[in-house]
């Protein structure tokens, strides 16, 4: 076999790309959050709008960036560096790392919640514990994760892949088995849904617009597939085909999953009180698998499997989220002039010890601050909103890179272009940037003053810290 034939044999087909991208972007938690935060099956309307007006152009723009910088392995940071300046590349790396501070703070809580469900098989045990005790336990889990990360090891990487795959398969099985349940067990209780147009159109109130960041958070992150653009057979034709196929799969999963969940849960019960809402936001996924087991007369089998996989995933993601974003920020030789040398100090295992200490201070502060929140379920609901405000801010980097790429289009040739018309391309880049920023800003609002303060202060503090670092580095360089 010739070299060219070998190369062609290793090319990724468009349908293989679609499945790769799907597993990167989508998760069962997105179905639960959409259903709970958007009044049940009314979220279908919002999913359609989000995919048509945001997700598809976002994914196709990422494809163009990946094709233009096919030799770059560091993703968005390299795109920013090539199209703008080293300082903006530093801010891109900082934003990616800073967004994970809130995400890291939520993983310990997620691990404890999954552990409680696996052992006690109910929501009440965990939710009834004093918040202060829960947050101390969360802090302990977080510190253990930091200790493992400081050893330069990622021992749970394979477990994370296995557990993530199992959750992915369980998500599909949930949808299929839920639709089959009325046929197999017709005597069980199911919720009757009204699919009339007036019931599917949501109420466009304050609560609706301040929750849109949840959907933006759910569909983001497809820039992870950009390195595969030029490995696709005939990328200019098959990459967009794969992305559109993935978008159809995700949209179908979102809608079918929503309908499946609508057969179980009545939105009126979810929205009956703030306590009920918090409980469903924190436990909805576990209840779904527990009830599915009841329909099929297998007890808590599905629940235990889901909780076990979730428990392993949460802890492994905690360690990886401490280690990987930090390395992305500090390993970049092109932006090290903006970071104080003390922060780049490594131990004998190759881990950034002072960087991990900074993570301990920032994520640990969020964990301890939430010890005053009444109720463990409220803490998880609060963290979901905080993540939906902070995490999508990292998507802004991709849109900045895309606008800069199209501004210098002659300088960066590419086999694949999202659209040929320059004005249309610039419009979509600006549109997606604006949608992300506006949804994150609106998502900060909350009727609860503590939640509102946390949503506003956290990104401000992280941004200010990112602006201080170059000044500290400059002062250090002057002394040297």
């Amino acid at each position: 076999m010739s070299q060219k034939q070998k190369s062609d044999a290793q090319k990724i087909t468009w349908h293989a790309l679609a499945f790769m991208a799907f597993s990167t972007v989508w998760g069962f938690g997105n179905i639960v959050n959409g259903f709970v935060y958007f009044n049940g099956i009314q979220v279908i309307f919002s999913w359609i709008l989000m995919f048509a007006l945001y997700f598809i152009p976002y994914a196709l723009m990422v494809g163009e960036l990946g094709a233009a910088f096919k030799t770059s392995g560091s993703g968005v940071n390299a795109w920013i560096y090539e199209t703008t300046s080293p300082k903006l590349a530093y801010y891109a790396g900082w934003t990616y790392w800073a967004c994970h501070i809130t995400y890291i703070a939520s993983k310990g809580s997620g691990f404890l919640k999954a552990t409680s469900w696996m052992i006690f098989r109910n929501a009440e045990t965990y939710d009834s514990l004093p918040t202060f005790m829960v947050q101390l336990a969360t802090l302990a889990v977080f510190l253990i994760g930091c200790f493992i990360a400081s050893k330069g090891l990622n021992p749970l990487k394979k477990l994370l892949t296995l557990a993530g795959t199992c959750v992915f398969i369980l998500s599909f099985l949930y949808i299929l088995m839920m639709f089959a349940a009325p046929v197999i067990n017709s005597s069980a209780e199911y919720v009757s849904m009204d699919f009339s147009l007036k019931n599917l159109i949501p109420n466009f109130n304050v609560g609706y617009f301040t929750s849109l960041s949840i959907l933006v958070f759910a569909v983001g992150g497809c820039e992870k597939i950009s390195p595969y653009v030029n490995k696709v057979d005939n990328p200019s034709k098959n990459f967009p085909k794969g992305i559109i196929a993935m978008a159809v799969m995700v949209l179908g999963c979102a809608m079918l999953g929503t309908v499946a969940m609508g057969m179980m849960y009545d939105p009126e019960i979810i929205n009956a009180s703030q306590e009920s809402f918090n409980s469903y936001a924190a436990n909805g996924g576990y209840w779904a698998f527990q009830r599915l087991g009841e329909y099929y007369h297998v007890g808590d089998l599905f629940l235990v499997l889901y909780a076990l996989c979730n428990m392993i995933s949460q802890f492994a993601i905690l360690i990886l989220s401490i280690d990987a974003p930090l390395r992305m920020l500090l390993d970049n030789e092109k932006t090290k002039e903006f970071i104080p040398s003390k922060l780049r100090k490594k131990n004998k295992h190759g881990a950034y010890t002072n960087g991990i200490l900074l993570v301990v201070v920032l994520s640990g502060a969020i964990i301890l601050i939430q010890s005053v929140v009444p109720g463990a379920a409220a803490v998880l609901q609060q963290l979901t909103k905080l993540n939906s405000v902070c995490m999508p801010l990292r998507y802004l980097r991709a849109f900045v890179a895309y606008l800069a790429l199209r501004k210098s289009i002659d300088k960066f040739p590419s086999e694949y272009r999202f659209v040929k018309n320059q004005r249309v391309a610039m419009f979509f880049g600006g549109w997606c940037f604006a949608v992300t920023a506006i949804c994150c800003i609106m998502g900060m609002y909350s009727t609860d003053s503590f939640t509102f303060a946390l949503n506003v202060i956290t990104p401000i503090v992280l941004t200010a810290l990112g602006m201080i670092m170059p000044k500290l580095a400059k002062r250090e360089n002057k002394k040297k």
Side-chain angles (χ1 to χ4, degrees):
M1 185 182 288
S2 68
Q3 192 65 33
K4 185 179 183 303
Q5 286 174 321
K6 286 182 181 179
S7 178
D8 290 341
Q10 292 174 350
K11 289 286 187 180
I12 299 172
T13 61
W14 66 266
H15 41 83
L17 177 78
F19 280 103
M20 287 168 61
F22 179 80
S23 61
T24 300
V25 170
W26 196 247
F28 184 70
N30 297 329
I31 298 173
V32 178
N33 287 336
F35 189 88
V36 171
Y37 280 89
F38 289 86
N39 199 34
I41 59 174
Q42 285 185 0
V43 74
I44 292 174
F45 175 87
S46 302
W47 279 130
I48 293 172
L49 282 185
M50 186 59 67
F51 278 88
L53 301 179
Y54 181 80
F55 179 60
I56 292 177
Y58 169 21
L60 295 176
M61 280 187 276
V62 164
E64 184 174 340
L65 282 161
F69 303 106
K70 56 187 174 185
T71 58
S72 170
S74 55
V76 181
N77 290 4
W79 303 342
I80 296 282
Y81 180 84
E82 295 291 339
T83 55
T84 56
S85 67
K87 194 164 190 178
L88 275 178
Y90 154 74
Y91 281 121
W94 178 269
T95 303
Y96 185 80
W97 173 79
C99 288
H100 278 81
I101 293 298
T102 59
Y103 190 64
I104 290 166
S106 69
K107 292 297 104 178
S109 297
F111 169 78
L112 291 175
K113 165 64 76 173
T115 305
S116 175
W117 266 102
M118 192 184 73
I119 297 171
F120 302 107
R121 304 180 189 181
N122 64 64
E124 292 74 25
T125 302
Y126 181 85
D127 293 349
S128 62
L129 292 171
T131 310
F132 184 71
M133 286 178 58
V134 171
Q135 291 308 96
L136 283 181
T138 301
L139 183 64
V141 172
F142 164 63
L143 292 176
I144 292 169
C146 288
F147 174 76
I148 295 173
S150 72
K151 296 302 177 184
L153 303 171
N154 289 320
L156 298 180
K157 247 180 185 177
K158 289 183 179 178
L159 276 178
L160 171 61
T161 304
L162 178 61
T165 303
C166 290
V167 171
F168 180 70
I169 293 170
L170 283 170
S171 301
F172 268 108
L173 283 176
Y174 170 78
I175 295 171
L176 293 173
M177 295 180 75
M178 194 58 224
F179 278 104
V183 178
I184 293 170
N185 186 0
S186 58
S187 61
E189 291 185 10
Y190 304 98
V191 177
S192 178
M193 290 173 285
D194 179 7
F195 286 100
S196 62
L197 187 61
K198 66 176 183 178
N199 195 51
L200 288 175
I201 301 299
N203 296 317
F204 297 105
N205 51 25
V206 173
Y208 177 85
F209 289 106
T210 56
S211 296
L212 282 175
S213 58
I214 296 282
L215 300 187
V216 172
F217 181 31
V219 300
C222 62
E223 61 270 15
K224 293 175 185 176
I225 63 167
S226 60
Y228 301 103
V229 176
N230 292 286
K231 294 180 182 180
V232 177
D233 183 32
N234 190 4
S236 61
K237 178 183 178 181
N238 288 330
F239 183 81
K241 189 188 291 186
I243 289 298
I244 291 170
M246 178 267 289
V248 171
M249 287 164 61
V250 173
L251 179 59
C253 191
M255 292 197 292
L256 292 174
T258 298
V259 174
M261 199 151 283
M263 295 166 69
M264 282 186 171
Y265 298 146
D266 185 347
E268 289 188 9
I269 296 175
I270 294 174
N271 297 314
S273 66
Q274 187 61 48
E275 184 180 350
S276 176
F277 180 86
N278 290 342
S279 192
Y280 271 92
N283 302 293
Y286 297 101
W287 277 328
F289 280 97
Q290 187 175 48
R291 196 169 295 183
L292 188 66
E294 293 172 3
Y295 291 154
Y296 281 84
H297 305 293
V298 293
D300 291 333
L301 175 63
F302 297 137
L303 165 66
V304 172
L305 287 173
Y306 177 70
L308 176 62
C309 293
N310 222 13
M311 183 184 75
I312 296 169
S313 294
Q314 295 288 323
F315 190 68
I317 290 170
L318 169 65
I319 296 169
L320 293 178
S321 298
I322 293 166
D323 182 70
L326 199 57
R327 290 185 184 278
M328 188 174 287
L329 172 66
L330 302 179
D331 275 349
N332 194 342
E333 290 294 320
K334 297 171 183 176
T335 60
K336 70 177 184 180
E337 64 181 290
F338 304 107
I339 301 169
S341 59
K342 287 184 178 179
L343 199 61
R344 290 184 278 110
K345 179 185 174 183
K346 289 184 179 181
N347 62 13
K348 63 181 181 180
H349 303 291
Y352 291 101
T353 50
N354 288 338
I356 292 174
L357 283 175
L358 187 58
V359 173
V360 169
V361 171
L362 296 172
S363 295
I366 293 173
I367 291 169
L368 289 176
I369 286 169
Q370 288 189 299
S371 62
V372 301
V373 176
V379 170
L380 286 167
Q381 188 270 337
Q382 196 176 74
L383 284 169
T384 299
K385 280 292 286 179
L386 182 60
N387 277 323
S388 76
V389 169
C390 293
M391 287 296 278
L393 292 174
R394 63 197 170 117
Y395 310 153
L396 296 176
R397 307 170 308 145
F399 304 131
V400 169
Y402 184 74
L403 290 168
L405 170 69
R406 293 301 296 225
K407 195 174 180 181
S408 308
I409 192 168
D410 296 331
K411 186 179 175 183
F412 304 104
S414 174
E415 292 181 57
Y416 162 68
R417 296 288 182 199
F418 162 41
V419 286
K420 292 182 180 179
N421 187 286
Q422 188 72 347
R423 288 186 179 180
V424 174
M426 297 296 280
F427 167 78
F428 275 110
W431 165 261
C432 287
F433 184 96
V435 168
T436 306
I438 291 169
C439 286
C440 287
I441 292 169
M442 290 193 301
M444 292 178 180
Y445 175 76
S446 174
T447 53
D448 178 70
S449 56
F450 181 84
T451 303
F452 181 51
L454 190 65
N455 290 346
V456 172
I457 293 171
T458 302
I460 289 175
V461 168
L462 293 173
T463 302
L465 192 58
M467 296 173 73
I468 290 170
M469 288 296 170
K471 297 183 185 299
L472 295 177
K474 189 176 181 181
R475 183 182 298 177
E476 180 184 64
N477 292 333
K478 279 184 177 180
K479 287 181 180 179
K480 287 181 180 179

